[in-house]
Amino acid sequence: STLPAVAEELLREIKKAFQESSHVPDDLLLGLKFIFGPSAVPALDLVDQRCVTRVTAPSGRTLYQVLGSSGKLYTCYSSCHFCTCPAFEFSVLQKSESLLCKHILAVYLSQAMGACQELSVSEEQLTNILLAEEEDEG
């Protein structure tokens, strides 16, 4: 994983707190806002609205789809911290202003809180999702 250690630790603490009490304490929410800045609150909203879906193929290949606030579906890869949204390209890759976009942060938070929707697809369907993303970018 390539997230800074402090971010990794915060996500672990959130997972632990959520498992114990089914909510995230205020101090951890403040930490989230401090580390991830303006992405934190919108990411929590996406988790609350159950907008994160883990898509898994029989081979075990996994990706996440996040229904953004605009109604567009973005594909996220937690293994390499990548999202197909314009904010990721601009704020994370070009400007290095943010660690993550709200969509990837929502993926990590939904993993920590056990709030992912689950979708099993065939290898062919997974490939079609990946190819559709390439067409959008090209």
Side-chain angles (χ1 to χ4, degrees):
S1 171
T2 57
L3 276 181
V6 67
E8 294 276 356
E9 181 59 28
L10 178 64
L11 290 167
R12 273 194 296 276
E13 289 291 319
I14 288 172
K15 181 175 186 169
K16 184 175 173 232
F18 198 82
Q19 285 173 340
E20 290 170 1
S21 66
S22 295
H23 87 283
V24 180
D26 289 348
D27 62 327
L28 295 180
L29 291 174
L30 283 171
L32 205 58
K33 189 146 177 48
F34 181 76
I35 292 173
F36 295 106
S39 304
V41 172
L44 285 165
D45 284 342
L46 291 171
V47 174
D48 283 345
Q49 295 168 29
R50 312 246 332 142
C51 292
V52 179
T53 302
R54 180 170 50 191
V55 181
T56 310
S59 65
R61 291 190 306 164
T62 300
L63 58 85
Y64 292 83
Q65 289 192 311
V66 180
L67 184 60
S69 47
S70 65
K72 185 164 176 9
L73 202 57
Y74 297 106
T75 301
C76 298
Y77 307 93
S78 63
S79 57
C80 60
H81 312 296
F82 182 80
C83 180
T84 56
C85 77
F88 182 84
E89 185 177 332
F90 186 74
S91 298
V92 179
L93 296 179
Q94 290 178 5
K95 297 263 190 205
S96 297
E97 292 172 344
S98 305
L99 285 172
L100 306 168
C101 65
K102 67 182 179 185
H103 307 108
I104 297 178
L105 183 53
V107 166
Y108 291 129
L109 290 170
S110 65
Q111 287 173 331
M113 297 178 195
C116 285
Q117 310 272 24
E118 297 287 339
L119 179 64
S120 295
V121 298
S122 67
E123 296 298 331
E124 185 179 352
Q125 288 170 309
L126 190 74
T127 300
N128 289 339
I129 292 169
L130 297 172
L131 291 175
E133 288 300 337
E134 282 183 14
E135 287 170 17
D136 287 352
E137 292 167 17

